[in-house]
Amino acid sequence: MKRTPLIAGNWKMYKTGPEAVKTAQTLAGLCSDVQNVDIMIAPTNLSLPLVSRAVEDTNITTGAQNIYSESQGAFTGEVSAEMVRAAGAEYVIIGHSERRQYFGETDESVCKKIRAALRAGLKPVLCIGESLEERESEKTFLVLDKQVSDGLKGFVLDELDTLVLAYEPVWAIGTGKTADVNQVDEVHQHLRSLLKRLFSDKTAEQTRILYGGSVKPENVTELMGIEDVDGALVGGASLDADIFINIINF
Ligand code: PGA
C-alpha cells in the first residue's frame, strides 16, 4: 500500500493571528504546485479559524495542537475536538512531549483525546518518544510500546483508519540534534510491527509514521529516504514559509 507522505508544521505558541495568516498565505503561494504530499500546519487555537479560512482553497490543511476530551461543558480554558473541527481543522496533534512534560498529559488522557478526535472526525497525530535518559538506559522500545498500547487502548481496528503516529525523540526536539538514520529506521520498523501485533496488517500498512525532532531542509531528504518514514512533524523550521517549503519539497 502506498502511503501519501504528510509534512506537518507545529507552530507551537508562536505567531499572532495576523502573523499566522501571513505565513500561511506565503506558504500557500510557494506550495501550490506540490503534489502527492499532504501538507498540514497547526497554529495556536486562537489562529486556527483564521488560518483555516486563509488556506481554504489551497493544498494546505490545518490541525490543532491539542484538544480536551469532552465535547463541551464546564472546563474553563479548554477547547473540544468538535470546536476545532468546526474551526476548520482536519488533524489534531495529541500527546506532544511538551504537553506530557509541562501540562501533565498522560497515556490515559491521550487515549481519551484520541477517542474525542475520532468522534469529531479529526485525524489524530499521536506523538510518542523517549527521553535521553530512557534511550541511554536502553528503555526506548519499552517506553514507545507503552505509549502506543496505552494511548490506543480499547480501540478496534477500523476506528484507527485515519491515525498518524509521530515518533519524536524528546532529546531531538528543538535541540538541533536529530536521531541518526539507523536510530530512526530501527524505531520506525519497530513501530510498524507493533501496530501489526496490536491491531492488524492493514493498520500497520496504512498508518503514516512521521519523524519529528529538529527536521530541517538539510536533513529531510535523508530522513524521508528511510522506508518506514512517511513524513515529518516540524517545529522550528516550519515557522518560516521559505524554509518550510524546502522541507515540503524533500
Ligand atoms: P523541532 O520540533 O522541529 O523544533 O525540533 C518538533 C516538534 O516539537 O514537533
Side-chain angles (χ1 to χ4, degrees):
M1 185 189 294
K2 196 156 164 4
R3 295 178 291 269
T4 306
L6 170 63
I7 304 292
N10 172 9
W11 285 357
K12 307 192 180 184
M13 201 177 73
Y14 290 101
K15 298 183 189 291
T16 62
E19 287 166 352
V21 166
K22 191 154 175 267
T23 308
Q25 284 168 335
T26 308
L27 185 66
L30 292 171
C31 70
S32 58
D33 291 337
V34 173
Q35 284 177 344
N36 306 320
V37 177
D38 289 343
I39 304 164
M40 182 267 269
I41 47 182
T44 66
N45 279 342
L46 208 53
S47 301
L48 184 61
L50 303 172
V51 170
S52 298
R53 204 163 316 127
V55 298
E56 216 161 36
D57 297 317
T58 72
N59 52 356
I60 300 176
T61 57
T62 59
Q65 300 172 17
N66 179 42
I67 47 169
Y68 187 55
S69 49
E70 297 295 323
S71 52
Q72 60 177 10
F75 303 104
T76 302
E78 294 296 318
V79 169
S80 75
E82 285 75 7
M83 291 166 188
V84 302
R85 181 80 187 112
E90 184 172 326
Y91 293 86
V92 57
I93 299 169
I94 295 178
H96 189 280
S97 66
E98 286 152 15
R99 301 239 30 112
R100 295 178 192 257
Q101 203 174 336
Y102 306 127
F103 303 101
E105 191 86 83
T106 62
D107 292 329
E108 289 66 40
S109 58
V110 161
C111 187
K112 287 187 189 153
K113 290 179 180 190
I114 301 241
R115 175 119 359 248
L118 296 173
R119 179 187 70 214
L122 290 168
K123 298 174 180 167
V125 180
L126 167 57
C127 298
I128 54 169
E130 82 287 1
S131 66
L132 186 58
E133 192 193 339
E134 287 159 347
R135 175 160 283 272
E136 285 175 345
S137 54
E138 296 181 5
K139 293 203 188 105
T140 298
F141 290 153
L142 210 71
V143 169
L144 298 175
D145 289 6
K146 184 174 182 315
Q147 289 173 339
V148 173
S149 54
D150 289 357
L152 298 177
K153 196 177 248 164
F155 286 93
V156 295
L157 300 184
D158 289 349
E159 288 179 300
L160 296 175
D161 278 353
T162 59
L163 175 73
V164 177
L165 262 192
Y167 169 55
E168 300 203 299
V170 178
W171 48 272
I173 295 178
T175 58
K177 281 188 207 151
T178 327
D180 71 36
V181 171
N182 292 334
Q183 289 170 324
V184 177
D185 187 27
E186 188 186 30
V187 168
H188 280 237
Q189 279 190 43
H190 176 85
L191 292 173
R192 204 170 300 285
S193 55
L194 178 66
L195 289 173
K196 194 182 222 171
R197 213 161 0 104
L198 292 175
F199 299 101
S200 68
D201 284 7
K202 179 172 164 257
T203 309
E205 275 303 304
Q206 75 189 10
T207 301
R208 290 180 289 186
I209 308 179
L210 316 184
Y211 170 78
S214 299
V215 175
K216 37 188 181 255
E218 296 76 29
N219 59 21
V220 68
T221 312
E222 192 177 37
L223 289 162
M224 290 302 292
I226 302 171
E227 195 179 326
D228 282 299
V229 172
D230 306 309
L233 183 53
V234 187
S238 72
L239 292 168
D240 182 331
D242 294 308
I243 297 176
F244 194 37
I245 187 63
N246 291 316
I247 296 179
I248 292 167
N249 284 329
F250 66 88

